C-alpha cells in the first residue's frame, strides 16, 4: 500500500547545512527546526515544506539504517513525516528539541517495523543483520560525507569497542539490549552500562547540552 | 531473575533498546524520577545525533507524496483527542476481565450498577448490548478462533449470527502517538470497528460481521484513521 505520487519537479537532494541562529528577525532559511515546527503546529504549510527539507534526509537515513530495504524505508519515512505534520500541535519544547522529537518518532517507527517483521526469525538472521550494520556504514560513507556526520563518526571512534558496538547495534541495528548481549556474548548488566557510558562519552564529545 | 535497578536503564531507553513491556515499566519509572528524566532527555538528544549522522538523500517522490498527503490530513488538537475518551468509555463494559466468560458476567451483572444517573441512556444501550454479547457467547454453534498478533500475544474471536466478541492477550504497549484500531475487512471497503487503546488487553464487541469478512487489527496514528494505514498485526477470517 502506497500513496506515492510521481513528481517531475526537481528538488535538491541534499538538505542545506544547519545555520546558526541570530537574535534578529529570521528569514525562512535561517529559522531553526524548532521555530519551523512551531509554525507547522499552527497549520503553516510553507513552514512544513521548509521543515521537510531540513529533516527528511536524516529521517530517511535512520529508518534506512534500521530497515535496510529502500522501498520499505521510503514508505515509513512518508508515514513519519505525515505524523510530524499531524502531531506538531503536541510537540512540547520543554521536553527536548524539535529535531530530537522527530528523530525519536522516526527511530521508534523503524524499530516497531523491524521487530514485528523479525519476531519469528532466528539467530542466524540476527547475525546476518549485524554484518549488514557494518557493511552499510561503508556504503553510507561513499554516498555522503557531511561535516556533521564526520563529527559524529569521529566521536564514535572515541568510544571503546564494546561501547561503540553496543550503541550502534541498538540504534542502527534495531536490536534490544537483550539481543545485543546475546550477539556480543556479554552479560546484560554490562550491555546496560556500555550503552549508558557510550552515550555519555558521545554526548561529551559532541558537546550536547539539554 | 531479579528486577534490575531502573536507574541504570537510561542509555538503553534512549536507544529504544528495551522490549515493549520493559519500556512501559520504565516510562512509569520516569514519571516519578526527575533524575532519570533529565538523563534520558540528554541521552536522547545524543542518540538523535546518530540519526543526523545517518542522513541519506531521500527520493523526491517521497517529498511529493508527503506534501500531497498533508493537504488532506487534519492536525490533531493540542490536547488529547476526544476520540481517546470515547475509546475509553466504550471499553468500560469489559474492563480487564480474566476471560471472556468473566467479561460476560461483568457486562451482564455488576457492570451496570456502577453507572452514574446521567449515564442511564448509555446503560440502556449497554443492556441491549449485554443481551447480544450473551447470545454470542452461549450459542452452541458459535465460532471460536485464536490467532497470533504479529507483535506478540494473540487475539481471540467468538462469533455468532453477525456479531463477534474480540479479545486479545496482553499486547505490546504502543507509543502515545499510536493506537490499535479494529477493522471489519470487507473486500473494497474496510470499516472501522473502533479504537481499542494503546496496549494491554484489547476488547471489542462488533456487530454486522458477515461470514465472508475478516477482522483486522492495525496500528494507527493517535485518533485513528478513516481507512487502515498502518501495519496489519492480526487478521481473523470469519469463514
Ligand atoms: Zn530513576
Amino acid at each position: 500500500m502506497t500513496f506515492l505520487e510521481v513528481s517531475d519537479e526537481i528538488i535538491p537532494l541534499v538538505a542545506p547545512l544547519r545555520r546558526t541562529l541570530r537574535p534578529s528577525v529570521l528569514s525562512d532559511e535561517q529559522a531553526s527546526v524548532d521555530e519551523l515546527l512551531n509554525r507547522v503546529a499552527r497549520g503553516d504549510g510553507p513552514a512544513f515544506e521548509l521543515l521537510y527539507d531540513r529533516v527528511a534526509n536524516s529521517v530517511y537515513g535512520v529508518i534506512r539504517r534500521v530497515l535496510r530495504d529502500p522501498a520499505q524505508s521510503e514508505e515509513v519515512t512518508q508515514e513519519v513525516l505525515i505524523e510530524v505534520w499531524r502531531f506538531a500541535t503536541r510537540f512540547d519544547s520543554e521536553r527536548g528539541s524539535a529535531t530530537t522529537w522527530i528523530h525519536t518518532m522516526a527511530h521508534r517507527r523503524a524499530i516497531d517495523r523491524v521487530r514485528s517483521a523479525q519476531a519469528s526469525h532466528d539467530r542466524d538472521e540476527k547475525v546476518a543483520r549485524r554484518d549488514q550494520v557494518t557493511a552499510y556504514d561503508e556504503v553510507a560513507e561513499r554516498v555522503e560525507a557531511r561535516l556533521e556526520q564526520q563529527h559524529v563518526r569521529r566521536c564514535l571512534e572515541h568510544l571503546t569497542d564494546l561501547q561503540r558496538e553496543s550503541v550502534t547495534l541498538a540504534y542502527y541495528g534495531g536490536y534490544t539490549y537483550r539481543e545485543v548481549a546475546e550477539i556480543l556474548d556479554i552479560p546484560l548488566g554490562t550491555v546496560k552500562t556500555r550503552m549508558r557510558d557510550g552515550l555519555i562519552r558521545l554526548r561529551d564529545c559532541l558537546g550536547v547540552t539539554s | 531473575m531479579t528486577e534490575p535497578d531502573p536507574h541504570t536503564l537510561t542509555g538503553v531507553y534512549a536507544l529504544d533498546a528495551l522490549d515493549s513491556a520493559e519500556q512501559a515499566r520504565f516510562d512509569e519509572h520516569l514519571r516519578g524520577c526527575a533524575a532519570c528524566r533529565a538523563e534520558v532527555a540528554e541521552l536522547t538528544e545524543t542518540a538523535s545525533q546518530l540519526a543526523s549522522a545517518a542522513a541519506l538523500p531521500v527520493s523526491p517522490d517521497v517529498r511529493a507524496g508527503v506534501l500531497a498527503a498533508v493537504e488532506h490530513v487534519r492536525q490533531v488538537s493540542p490536547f488529547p483527542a476526544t476520540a481517546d475518551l470515547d475509546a475509553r468509555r466504550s471499553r468500560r463494559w469489559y474492563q480487564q476481565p480474566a476471560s471472556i466468560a468473566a467479561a460476560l458476567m461483568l457486562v451482564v451483572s455488576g457492570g451496570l450498577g456502577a453507572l452514574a444517573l446521567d449515564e442511564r441512556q448509555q446503560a440502556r444501550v449497554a443492556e441491549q448490548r449485554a443481551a447480544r454479547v450473551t447470545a454470542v457467547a452461549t450459542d452452541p454453534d458459535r465460532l471460536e478462533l485464536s490467532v497470533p498478533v504479529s507483535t506478540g500475544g494473540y487475539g481471540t474471536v467468538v462469533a455468532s449470527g453477525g456479531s463477534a466478541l474480540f479479545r486479545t492477550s496482553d499486547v505490546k504497549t504502543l507509543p502515545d502517538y499510536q493506537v490499535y484500531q479494529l477493522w471489519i475487512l470487507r473486500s473494497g471497503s474496510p470499516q472501522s470497528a473502533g479504537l481499542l487503546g494503546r496496549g494491554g488487553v484489547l476488547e471489542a464487541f462488533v456487530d454486522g460481521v458477515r461470514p465472508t469478512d475478516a477482522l483486522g487489527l492495525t496500528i494507527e496514528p493517535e485518533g485513528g484513521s478513516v481507512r487502515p494505514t498502518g501495519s496489519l498485526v492480526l487478521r481473523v477470517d470469519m469463514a
Side-chain angles (χ1 to χ4, degrees), chain B residues 7 29 33 36:
Chain B
H7 303 294
H29 173 75
C33 181
C36 280

PDB file of all heavy atoms in Angstrom, chain B residues 7 29 33 36, ligand 1:
ATOM      1  N   HIS B   7      17.252   2.799  37.415  1.00  0.00           N
ATOM      2  CA  HIS B   7      18.054   3.995  37.097  1.00  0.00           C
ATOM      3  C   HIS B   7      19.164   3.712  36.083  1.00  0.00           C
ATOM      4  O   HIS B   7      19.658   4.622  35.444  1.00  0.00           O
ATOM      5  CB  HIS B   7      18.694   4.579  38.359  1.00  0.00           C
ATOM      6  CG  HIS B   7      17.703   4.932  39.412  1.00  0.00           C
ATOM      7  ND1 HIS B   7      16.782   5.935  39.255  1.00  0.00           N
ATOM      8  CD2 HIS B   7      17.493   4.398  40.626  1.00  0.00           C
ATOM      9  CE1 HIS B   7      16.037   6.010  40.348  1.00  0.00           C
ATOM     10  NE2 HIS B   7      16.440   5.087  41.182  1.00  0.00           N
ATOM     11  N   HIS B  29       8.435   4.511  35.569  1.00  0.00           N
ATOM     12  CA  HIS B  29       9.503   4.960  36.459  1.00  0.00           C
ATOM     13  C   HIS B  29       9.848   6.427  36.182  1.00  0.00           C
ATOM     14  O   HIS B  29      10.032   7.216  37.109  1.00  0.00           O
ATOM     15  CB  HIS B  29      10.741   4.085  36.287  1.00  0.00           C
ATOM     16  CG  HIS B  29      11.939   4.582  37.056  1.00  0.00           C
ATOM     17  ND1 HIS B  29      12.053   4.449  38.420  1.00  0.00           N
ATOM     18  CD2 HIS B  29      13.042   5.270  36.651  1.00  0.00           C
ATOM     19  CE1 HIS B  29      13.186   5.009  38.819  1.00  0.00           C
ATOM     20  NE2 HIS B  29      13.811   5.511  37.769  1.00  0.00           N
ATOM     21  N   CYS B  33      10.643   9.919  38.543  1.00  0.00           N
ATOM     22  CA  CYS B  33      12.079  10.060  38.801  1.00  0.00           C
ATOM     23  C   CYS B  33      12.672  11.181  37.933  1.00  0.00           C
ATOM     24  O   CYS B  33      12.975  10.986  36.759  1.00  0.00           O
ATOM     25  CB  CYS B  33      12.811   8.741  38.546  1.00  0.00           C
ATOM     26  SG  CYS B  33      14.587   8.827  38.860  1.00  0.00           S
ATOM     27  N   CYS B  36      16.268  10.546  36.331  1.00  0.00           N
ATOM     28  CA  CYS B  36      16.256   9.741  35.103  1.00  0.00           C
ATOM     29  C   CYS B  36      15.671  10.542  33.939  1.00  0.00           C
ATOM     30  O   CYS B  36      16.155  10.436  32.815  1.00  0.00           O
ATOM     31  CB  CYS B  36      15.462   8.446  35.290  1.00  0.00           C
ATOM     32  SG  CYS B  36      16.396   7.152  36.142  1.00  0.00           S
TER      33      CYS B  36
HETATM   34 ZN1  LIG C   1      15.388   6.831  38.081  1.00  0.00          ZN
END
